[in-house]
Amino acid sequence: MRVLKFGGTSVADADAIRRVVAIVAEERRTSVIEGPVVVVSALGGVTDKLLEVAALARRGDATHALALVDQLYARHLETLAALAPGEHGGPVPEAVDALFAQLRAIAGAVAVLHEASPRSLDAIAAIGELASSRIVTAALQSAGTPATWADPRALIVTDEHFTSATPLLDAIDVQAPAHLRPALAAGRVIVTGGFVGATGKGITTTLGRGGSDYSAALIGAALGADEIQIWTDVDGMLTADPRVVEQPRLVPTLSFAEAAELAYFGAKVLHPKSIQPAAARNIPVRILNTFRPQAAGTLIADGACPDRTAVTALACKRGITVVTITSTGMLMAYGYLRRLFEVFERHQTPVDVVSTSEVSVSVTIDDRAHLDRIVAALSDFAEVSVSNHLALIAVVGEGYGHEPAAFSRVVRALEGLPLRLVSQADSRRNVTLVLDEDALGVAMSRLHAEFFGKPVATPATLMTSAAGR
Ligand code: ADP
Ligand code: ASP
Ligand code: MG
């Protein structure tokens, strides 16, 4: 049994959802005995719009908030009508109506109070996946595939950390199979919404932006799936972010550890936490393109990567902040680092990269929400400086540690660019670099050319460069 997750672009409109229906039908025709379980994101762009509804309402602008709700409602109804006309919509139009009625009520309340708590934000954001999963269920049924909708709030049990809740694995291991196994055994396809969960008391939560991948992995792990497929709008994991580097290549295979590093350091195609549940149960993950289903995609599994070049792929993230803590108290002292990291822990701020010298420690963070309080607390025992507008690059590969020249190739490629931080752990699966955001594009292109070759000039790019001369 497989879990197939379709992202926002893959369910953006009726045409895209028809592709999803065809992929699910093909999955049932060619492969396995049960399933699949289909996990869907909100229709493309809807989560952003829902958060905009919340922001407008919080400012007290009920008129614009409700106008946006009406637009979203119309888009959902139109998509549903195109896919499941007439009675094929079944009870779905009512379910979608109920969701939008709820959304209007919450947005109205937020507008009156001028306050949107994280809990209200989750109630609002969850509408996207709750509605899209209903529509995809109806589309499958209308195309003759026996499909059953499952409420993600009955499957993904989480803590109460609204807007980025932590899933409670033991509870999910019980709840997800209990809810899904009977319908699977009856030969039905299950459709559920990603991103959404609920606390033990049934209050709606979300897993954080991009969290549908994580939902799919959690459900796949709980059911002991044979494979988790992430269907998206690119051919697989690419050698770099296609929005930053021209013509990145497809990476056909990745180890779990490589995939986790790349996702953590910015390869948006996978949610950073989505690899962990799959790796823990050794379930292969495949990234596939909804718009080119015949393409081979990327397979993530242990032992999937036979001959490795030094670098498998690059990842990058903007908006990084470096905090540098300097104190002579660090000289020859023990307990100092504990004291320092405790400050970040107390303010629930993850530290990504660490670099130390004799009297100073520099760390990167990408969540600045508690920065002021962190700086104040550190200033009690050290001098603190903060640099913003930085970017981070991770050069990742299982083969990296086996090529002695790898690091010097990285440094040579970046010659002349001011590096702020460099960190390479002894596992030697990656090197992480921090530099000014402005230099990111150049740095990524140079590294990419060094490890994967220069982009091939197409007639279009030749023309542009000729015109530019
Ligand atoms: P979905 O809505 O299907 O979850 P996302 O937008 O979250 O899709 O992730 C897919 C996008 O991730 C791609 O369109 C691409 O722009 C971006 N991306 C960033 N880094 C990479 C990478 N290394 N390989 C592939 N895609 C990447
Ligand atoms: N719809 C959510 C988001 O846009 C979750 C997801 O698509 O994975 O962040
Ligand atoms: Mg995504």
Side-chain angles (χ1 to χ4, degrees):
M1 192 277 299
R2 295 183 180 141
V3 176
L4 275 53
K5 178 260 169 176
F6 294 90
T9 357
S10 304
V11 294
D13 52 27
D15 280 345
I17 295 175
R18 280 190 200 102
R19 292 173 181 274
V20 170
V21 169
I23 290 166
V24 172
E26 184 64 7
E27 164 74 11
R28 276 173 74 81
R29 196 180 66 76
T30 51
S31 64
V32 261
I33 313 151
E34 281 190 341
V37 175
V38 176
V39 177
V40 294
S41 289
L43 307 192
V46 164
T47 310
D48 285 339
K49 294 279 182 207
L50 288 167
L51 294 174
E52 205 178 312
V53 168
L56 287 165
R58 188 188 348 225
R59 271 182 251 140
D61 188 352
T63 313
H64 286 104
L66 294 176
L68 188 49
V69 173
D70 287 342
Q71 272 176 33
L72 288 170
Y73 178 57
R75 177 175 166 194
H76 282 80
L77 284 193
E78 197 183 302
T79 309
L80 177 61
L83 291 161
E87 74 263 33
H88 283 301
V92 171
E94 277 162 42
V96 174
D97 281 353
L99 286 168
F100 279 89
Q102 212 179 318
L103 176 58
R104 273 184 210 100
I106 305 170
V110 168
V112 171
L113 296 172
H114 286 248
E115 186 210 51
S117 64
R119 178 167 160 170
S120 319
L121 286 177
D122 275 354
I124 291 173
I127 302 286
E129 269 73 6
L130 293 173
S132 67
S133 55
R134 291 286 194 172
I135 293 172
V136 171
T137 311
L140 283 163
Q141 287 168 350
S142 170
T145 301
T148 298
W149 180 76
D151 191 331
R153 291 166 296 191
L155 313 175
I156 304 291
V157 188
T158 72
D159 70 2
E160 296 189 353
H161 199 289
F162 295 100
T163 73
S164 61
T166 299
L168 304 178
L169 301 185
D170 290 344
I172 296 171
D173 274 347
V174 176
Q175 294 294 332
H179 274 84
L180 302 183
R181 284 252 156 79
L184 285 172
R188 303 191 65 85
V189 172
I190 292 181
V191 183
T192 192
F195 178 57
V196 176
T199 66
K201 290 185 194 138
I203 312 294
T204 304
T205 55
T206 69
L207 302 178
R209 297 305 306 269
S212 295
D213 301 333
Y214 197 16
S215 301
L218 291 163
I219 293 170
L223 291 174
D226 298 305
E227 188 169 292
I228 296 159
Q229 298 186 342
I230 305 293
W231 288 84
T232 183
D233 58 1
V234 283
D235 277 354
M237 180 66 78
L238 305 174
T239 47
D241 188 331
R243 296 162 302 179
V244 179
V245 166
E246 241 182 284
Q247 298 178 8
R249 317 239 165 114
L250 178 71
V251 182
T253 56
L254 284 170
S255 69
F256 284 123
E258 285 173 324
E261 297 265 8
L262 289 166
Y264 189 77
F265 288 118
K268 189 186 169 223
V269 68
L270 281 178
H271 183 274
K273 294 181 188 157
S274 59
I275 286 302
Q276 201 278 329
R281 304 231 160 128
N282 204 15
I283 302 172
V285 177
R286 214 180 272 278
I287 308 175
L288 293 154
N289 189 344
T290 305
F291 303 90
R292 287 187 355 113
Q294 69 288 359
T298 296
L299 173 65
I300 305 165
D302 273 340
C305 327
D307 355 289
R308 272 288 175 239
T309 48
V311 172
T312 306
L314 310 173
C316 61
K317 259 205 252 190
R318 294 177 201 271
I320 298 294
T321 296
V322 170
V323 182
T324 299
I325 304 108
T326 307
S327 163
T328 46
M330 187 175 159
L331 270 174
M332 321 275 287
Y334 50 81
Y336 182 82
L337 288 177
R338 182 187 49 71
R339 191 170 170 202
L340 191 158
F341 284 114
E342 223 171 48
V343 172
F344 290 90
E345 185 186 345
R346 208 162 54 236
H347 293 95
Q348 299 185 339
T349 301
V351 162
D352 293 329
V353 181
V354 181
S355 168
T356 68
S357 79
E358 210 161 304
V359 291
S360 70
V361 181
S362 293
V363 304
T364 69
I365 58 174
D366 72 359
D367 174 4
R368 296 167 50 87
H370 306 294
L371 184 60
D372 290 346
R373 274 181 282 163
I374 290 171
V375 170
L378 291 169
S379 301
D380 281 347
F381 58 92
E383 260 172 56
V384 186
S385 68
V386 173
S387 312
N388 297 312
H389 308 298
L390 301 176
L392 184 154
I393 297 178
V395 179
V396 176
E398 295 285 1
Y400 182 81
H402 303 295
E403 192 191 302
F407 183 65
S408 56
R409 288 175 68 188
V410 169
V411 173
R412 215 177 324 123
L414 298 179
E415 199 181 321
L417 297 178
L419 297 181
R420 305 287 289 261
L421 231 71
V422 177
S423 164
Q424 177 179 294
D426 196 33
S427 74
R428 304 228 284 140
R429 194 181 290 115
N430 76 3
V431 55
T432 321
L433 314 147
V434 177
L435 72 179
D436 290 350
E437 235 171 31
D438 295 345
L440 180 66
V442 178
M444 285 288 285
S445 303
R446 287 211 217 147
L447 284 169
H448 198 268
E450 171 64 30
F451 289 102
F452 306 104
K454 293 213 161 54
V456 189
T458 59
T461 57
L462 283 174
M463 272 162 57
T464 342
S465 53
R469 237 178 272 137

